[in-house]
Structure formats: C-alpha cells, structure tokens
Amino acid sequence: SVAIASAAPGGIGWKDWYAVSGGDTAYVAFDPDDPSVNYGGCDMGQIERWDARTGAGRNVMSYPMLPAAMQAREMKYRFNWNAPILVSQHDPDVLYHAANVLLRSTNGGDAWEAVSPDLTGNDDAKQGYGGGPITNEGAGGEIYNTIMYVAESPHDAGTLWVGSDDGLIHVTRDGGASWSNVTPRNLDEGMINAIDVSPHDPAAAYVAYTRYKFNDFTPHVFTTDDYGQSWRRVVDGLPEEAHVRVVREDPVRPGLLYAGTELGLFVSWDAGARWQSLQLDMPTTPITDLIVQRTHNDLVAATQGRSFWILDDLSPLQQAPDSPDDDAFTVLTPRPAYRFAGGLGGGFGGGGTVGANPPNGAVIDVRVPATDSQAVTLTVHDAAGTLVRSYSSTRDDDSVDVLEVEPGHNRFVWNLRHEAVTRVPGLYVWGTLNGRRAVPGTYTVRVRWGDETREVSLEVRADPRVTASAEDFRVQAALVDRIDAELRAIHGGVVQVRDVRGQVDALVRRAGDVDGADTVVAVGGALSERLQALEDSLVQNRTVDGQTVINFPPRLNFHYIYLRSAVEGAEGEVTKGARELIDDLGTRWSDHRRTLRQLLGPDLGALNALVDEHGIPAVITTAPSPDPVP
C-alpha cells in the first residue's frame, strides 16, 4: 500500500473543528451560490424553509400532518427520522424530499409531486405501531420502509440514485419517469447508508451498505460502472467489524476513494481493491459523512460525537505514486497559497467551539527516498528569478533557515515572507524585522536533493476580501524594499562601527604603553568617541524592553522599523505620509552615512598612518612568560 509518513516539521494531519448542536440530527439543504435560504428537516417528515436574511421560517411539508404515535401503514408518506433533503446542483429551484417515495418541488416547497413509486420493501408487517404492548413509541424514529439516501448525478440532472433503509437501490435516468431496481443480487435486508456518484464516470457509483442493526458489523462497499447492472464488493483491507457508513471518490484523481467507517477513516487508490487506514492523528471514532471541499481541496469528516475534522490539502494523496514501491525523489505541486489580511492563519484560541486553522503560508510536500543521506535545499524565487527565501537541511550556513528532513514524506511551510532584515546583535527591537510578505503572483519552488533538482510552480493569491490592485502591491513592496535596504545598511554600519571601535580602543590601550605615542592615543580616543556618537545616533542601546522604549528617546533605526510595520502591515496601499517620512529618514541616513564613510575612511586611515609611523606593535607582551618557548 502507499505509505504516507509524517515527518517534522508540520506532518500531514487532521485539524478538528468543534460543532455545537442539539441532540437530534437531520438534513439541511441550500443553494451554495445563495445560502441565505435554507431547508431543514426534522422527524416525521417535517421540513422548514428558513430565510437567514429575515430570520423567518415557514413549514413546507408536502402533507402537513404530524403522524405522531400513528401506525406507519396509516401515514400518507413514510419518512425516515433523517429524511433526505436535496437541492439540485443543476437547478437550485429544484428541491427533493424523500419519504417512501421521492418528492420534488420547483417552487420552494409550496407544492410537491411524487416522482417515483414506493422505492422501499413496503413490508406491511413492519408498519404497525412503534412499540408495545404497554407503551407505543411513535416519535418518528420507528418508521420503517423509508428512503434513506438520495444522490443526484453531477453529470446529468435526470439521473437520480435512491437507497432505502431496507436494502434496495433504485436509479432513474429520465428525471423520475421510470425507475430500475438495481439492488445487488442476494443482498440481505440492511440499510443503504450512502451513495456516491463518481465525479469522473457518469455510470459509476459507490454504495455504503450496513447491517449493524442486525448485529452484523461486517464492512460492505459496493461499486458499479454500468449504472447498477453489475456490482463488485470491495472491502479488502477494512477491519472485520468496521462497518462502512460513507464512501466518496476524489474529484481530482479517479479511483481515489475515502471511506468513513465505524472505526475511523480509510483510503484506497485503486477504486476500492485495497484499503488502508488514513487515521493519522484523528481519534478512533465513527465517521458519519465525508465531503471534499473543492475550493481549497480539503477533506472534511463528520463524526459521531467527536466534532468535524479537516484534512488540509489532499494534494499528497492525489499525487501519490501508482506503485507503493515508488521511492523517487518528488516535489508535489502545491495548491495556491493566500496572503491573508491581518496575518490570519495558523490557528487561534477561543475555547471548545473553535478549531485549528491550517498553517499560514504555502505548504510544500517533498518525498525523500528511504536511502536518504544527502542534503536537501529549498529555495523560493519570484517571477523574475530573484531569490526570495532559502532553506537547507545542513546547519553549516547561518544565512538560511534549517529544514528538518526525514526519509519519506516531508511537509514544509513557507510563510510567504522574504529573508529577515539583519539584526544588530544584542539590540532590542520594538517591532519586527521579519522579511516582508510576498507580493501575489507566481513563484518557483526549487528543491535540490544531492545532485537532483525539482521545480514546481506556486501561485500566491491575494486575500479575496482585499481590494488592493496589483500596482498597489508592487508600490508597497518597492517601498518596504527601500526601507529594508536602508535598515540593513544602518544595522550593518552599526556592526562595523562596533568592530572598528573595539579595535581602536584596544589599540589606544596598547599605545599608552609606548613612549611618544600620545598623538596616537589622542587621535584614537577622539575617533572612538565619534564612532560611539555615530552609533548612538543610529540606535538606542539603553532600550532593553517594551517599557524602556518610552524612557529613552528613539534613534534612526527605530523610526525605520516603525514605518516598516506601518507600510508592510497594510494590504497594498501606501499613504502619502509614509512616502514623505521615508524621504525624510533617507535624508537623515544620508548625512549619517557620510559621517560613517568619513570615520571609517579618511579618519581611520589617518589613525592607521600614525600607528605605522610610531611603530606600535599589534600585540605587546608586558611580562615574561613563566615557561618561555625555546
């Protein structure tokens, strides 16, 4: 089977999203393009049309009689406790509600028509009172011979599949004018829990069938590729008592199936011929439904009492090799990454009703052969080929971020930022020097393993809620790049000043022991003072935390860092004030830069000439060694 190994950092895993709900379950349906109008079901065929804009609800039962405590045989329609409700994906004005017959409305539930005969076993012996002999239980959960599931073909509005709670499967290909019983031969009485029509083949479907209510927990998955004329049972690899509640086919890769069972989630790459666990870090729990969220290519799982779970980005499964023995070095094509406004992503707090978001940035999946003993480097380049970010699995180069790589599947996250701005060692920074955010556009991810290199394209998209234009982002990036360049020069100058001043101070101390070197001491001391004054103009060394920021006046780099945050933290737009300030700061930095060049150029040169003139040694021995070297 195909192995999905999770390697640090950021292995493949599920994220949970807690749901707050009542004790009963039922279907809801809505037009995904206009979800303001919802249809919600309840027991005994109750259905309500609810408008989120007004908060108004309306009972739209096909026959608004509540058959509480009645015998099922006396009811006009027999509805399951979880009676299916479906809005057509081809026409949002078409609504289905399933009883023992399939009902259809084209006007929001104002009127219904039956578009099928009774599609159940219709066993009169099982349509009496719900309990007895002392107390009758007629709350709706006891109604039998009902339609349990309805599936509309994504290829054809006229093709509908129906499964009943007593084990029958029917299909129509003409919108309900005629129906065919396509139940697999010799199928025992049981429940057709879910039907999934293949998104790739209109004749193919997958059925999850259960008999747990008969104390039979055997898993059953049936598949057809001829509209139910023939079936295959495909359960190899599923545990003996993992009865199957739902099967879904991946919308991108044909034959890639996901199965929700009583004992967790399973996956197959070969249309069900072989199954293996996809549990990863999800707790063992019944999986009651699955859906692939196509916009972001995520798998969402509903569970029995353990909340919703999301497997972020199905790319590793969709791009897995056909052969489980394929151990090639591979970089998977990443899904588009979003530059979220306000730095969203990466999870947030809030208690038991809040889930974890996926990583904030671009997720890059790399498969490294099991025989790995070579370094891995990962670089990101913009559309012009300019290096944006560098990572490496070796720790020899301090200029790149370190990758933790293990043989097998590795998942890395680029946080959509450029390289960080150089820091001054030991200097407190009020703000951030993280690299600026990437401009929306196309990037190239280049991964090297040993002598092999792979490249993939990565699209970075703007937050769809943001109105900034491509030109806005370009202007913003150019301004932040200018700020960063001048900040790097300032911080680099401070580092250089400190280094030179340390050498000058040491030289002055040595010169003090040399006769006739008073001029060197005076010139060197004065140069050291001017270097210190310059450093004090560029950075505030007395600021050590967020409190002392307000105790000691800010220096030049402080204003650059604050302006940087103000500009970089926005979504593309650059204010007039920001443009004015960078010009003013640039003028001040130009003055200091001239001073820096004078001090480290002519002034330092003059000192070096004096040192050479007086023959001051680089190292002075002030006392004989206790153990002289011969």
Side-chain angles (χ1 to χ4, degrees):
S1 59
V2 179
I4 299 294
S6 179
I12 302 170
W14 293 85
K15 301 296 183 184
D16 59 315
W17 189 275
Y18 293 91
V20 179
S21 64
D24 293 343
T25 60
Y27 276 84
V28 292
F30 52 86
D31 175 5
D33 295 327
D34 181 17
S36 57
V37 175
N38 297 259
Y39 299 90
C42 193
D43 51 13
M44 294 180 279
Q46 297 181 79
I47 181 172
E48 182 173 292
R49 184 181 188 270
W50 180 71
D51 192 325
R53 292 166 297 195
T54 63
R58 181 186 181 193
N59 186 314
V60 292
M61 290 176 68
S62 56
Y63 190 72
M65 173 186 287
L66 192 67
M70 291 174 56
Q71 297 184 80
R73 65 173 62 94
E74 299 173 338
M75 301 174 184
K76 180 176 178 64
Y77 299 119
R78 297 187 304 274
F79 286 94
N80 193 276
W81 180 279
N82 296 326
I85 305 173
L86 182 70
V87 170
S88 171
Q89 58 194 296
H90 302 284
D91 182 353
D93 291 330
V94 175
L95 177 68
Y96 294 99
H97 194 199
N100 56 310
V101 300
L102 184 62
L103 301 168
R104 181 172 61 199
S105 174
T106 59
N107 54 10
D110 284 351
W112 297 86
E113 62 172 333
V115 293
S116 80
D118 193 317
L119 299 179
T120 74
N122 194 19
D123 184 355
D124 183 76
K126 298 174 180 176
Q127 295 175 14
Y129 289 111
I134 298 175
T135 302
N136 175 37
E137 175 70 18
E142 308 75 21
I143 302 173
Y144 194 56
N145 300 138
T146 66
I147 293 175
M148 186 71 187
Y149 202 87
V150 178
E152 181 186 50
S153 171
H155 310 279
D156 173 22
T159 299
L160 299 163
W161 296 73
V162 168
S164 71
D165 64 357
D166 48 17
L168 299 182
I169 303 173
H170 288 81
V171 64
T172 179
R173 298 178 62 185
D174 52 17
S178 61
W179 292 83
S180 299
N181 185 337
V182 294
T183 307
R185 293 180 181 179
N186 303 317
L187 193 67
D188 292 328
E189 187 175 8
M191 184 164 60
I192 307 302
N193 202 69
I195 303 172
D196 189 60
V197 181
S198 169
H200 308 284
D201 182 354
Y206 303 92
V207 170
Y209 160 79
T210 68
R211 280 180 49 83
Y212 68 89
K213 293 185 178 182
F214 293 88
N215 257 1
D216 179 358
F217 305 104
T218 306
H220 296 283
V221 177
F222 293 96
T223 177
T224 180
D225 57 10
D226 54 12
Y227 292 101
Q229 297 305 303
S230 63
W231 295 91
R232 292 180 296 114
R233 182 170 175 263
V234 287
V235 295
D236 186 28
L238 296 176
E240 291 183 1
E241 294 195 347
H243 66 263
V244 182
R245 294 174 176 264
V246 61
V247 175
R248 303 290 184 205
E249 186 175 20
D250 188 271
V252 173
R253 178 168 174 167
L256 174 57
L257 305 182
Y258 311 106
T261 79
E262 189 70 7
L263 301 180
L265 194 81
F266 290 80
V267 63
S268 171
W269 278 267
D270 46 20
R274 296 170 299 168
W275 293 94
Q276 70 180 72
S277 174
L278 190 59
Q279 199 68 14
L280 301 173
D281 54 350
M282 183 194 290
T284 300
T285 184
I287 307 296
T288 56
D289 205 357
L290 295 167
I291 187 172
V292 174
Q293 207 286 337
R294 298 195 182 192
T295 303
H296 300 295
N297 199 31
D298 298 332
L299 180 62
V300 183
T303 73
Q304 191 76 47
R306 294 298 294 269
S307 76
F308 292 105
W309 290 74
I310 302 173
L311 184 59
D312 295 320
D313 191 5
L314 291 171
S315 298
L317 304 182
Q318 294 162 342
Q319 300 177 45
D322 293 332
S323 170
D325 299 323
D326 189 340
D327 195 30
F329 166 50
T330 308
V331 181
L332 305 186
T333 301
R335 67 176 175 180
Y338 285 86
R339 172 180 147 155
F340 286 113
L344 296 178
F348 47 87
T353 60
V354 176
N357 280 335
N360 184 18
V363 176
I364 301 164
D365 292 282
V366 180
R367 295 181 66 247
V368 177
T371 56
D372 173 47
S373 59
Q374 305 182 76
V376 174
T377 61
L378 187 155
T379 54
V380 181
H381 307 260
D382 64 18
T386 304
L387 179 65
V388 172
R389 196 68 178 271
S390 300
Y391 301 86
S392 175
S393 63
T394 63
R395 301 175 184 273
D396 300 333
D397 188 351
D398 293 336
S399 65
V400 299
D401 296 306
V402 176
L403 293 178
E404 299 291 342
V405 181
E406 294 182 4
H409 196 114
N410 295 264
R411 170 163 283 186
F412 310 116
V413 179
W414 171 43
N415 64 358
L416 305 186
R417 289 189 175 274
H418 288 238
E419 301 287 356
V421 177
T422 307
R423 290 177 172 270
V424 177
L427 184 68
Y428 175 76
V429 174
W430 193 72
T432 178
L433 294 177
N434 290 336
R436 72 163 172 85
R437 290 178 294 168
V439 171
T442 302
Y443 293 78
T444 297
V445 177
R446 186 174 299 143
V447 183
R448 184 176 181 86
W449 173 74
D451 296 329
E452 298 185 51
T453 301
R454 303 283 187 271
E455 287 188 358
V456 292
S457 179
L458 168 66
E459 181 185 1
V460 176
R461 296 177 178 175
D463 190 319
R465 301 165 298 180
V466 170
T467 59
S469 67
E471 178 64 12
D472 289 334
F473 285 115
R474 188 196 66 78
V475 170
Q476 178 195 43
L479 182 55
V480 177
D481 283 344
R482 176 183 172 184
I483 295 172
D484 287 355
E486 295 182 10
L487 254 180
R488 289 188 177 98
I490 291 170
H491 288 176
V494 171
V495 171
Q496 195 173 15
V497 163
R498 287 181 175 182
D499 177 63
V500 170
R501 184 164 53 82
Q503 295 182 59
V504 170
D505 289 344
L507 180 64
V508 168
R509 288 192 297 271
R510 291 196 300 272
D513 296 326
V514 176
D515 292 338
D518 293 346
T519 303
V520 173
V521 172
V523 172
L527 177 59
S528 177
E529 290 178 0
R530 293 198 300 276
L531 288 169
Q532 181 65 64
L534 176 61
E535 178 180 339
D536 288 341
S537 298
L538 298 177
V539 297
Q540 177 55 269
N541 285 299
R542 291 186 293 175
T543 298
V544 296
D545 54 28
Q547 176 60 41
T548 50
V549 165
I550 63 174
N551 300 137
F552 304 107
R555 301 305 188 216
L556 186 61
N557 83 318
F558 177 95
H559 299 303
Y560 270 96
I561 294 172
Y562 184 82
L563 175 61
R564 184 180 190 275
S565 297
V567 174
E568 206 275 334
E571 291 308 311
E573 301 90 347
V574 175
T575 66
K576 179 182 178 182
R579 291 192 294 268
E580 291 177 351
L581 178 56
I582 186 59
D583 289 338
D584 293 343
L585 293 177
T587 299
R588 292 174 58 183
W589 166 233
S590 295
D591 293 340
H592 289 303
R593 184 167 48 193
R594 282 192 293 271
T595 301
L596 177 64
R597 289 172 176 170
Q598 176 67 33
L599 293 176
L600 300 185
D603 292 357
L604 181 59
L607 176 62
N608 285 333
L610 282 174
V611 169
D612 184 65
E613 178 183 338
H614 287 79
I616 298 174
V619 177
I620 298 177
T621 302
T622 57
S625 171
D627 185 15
V629 178

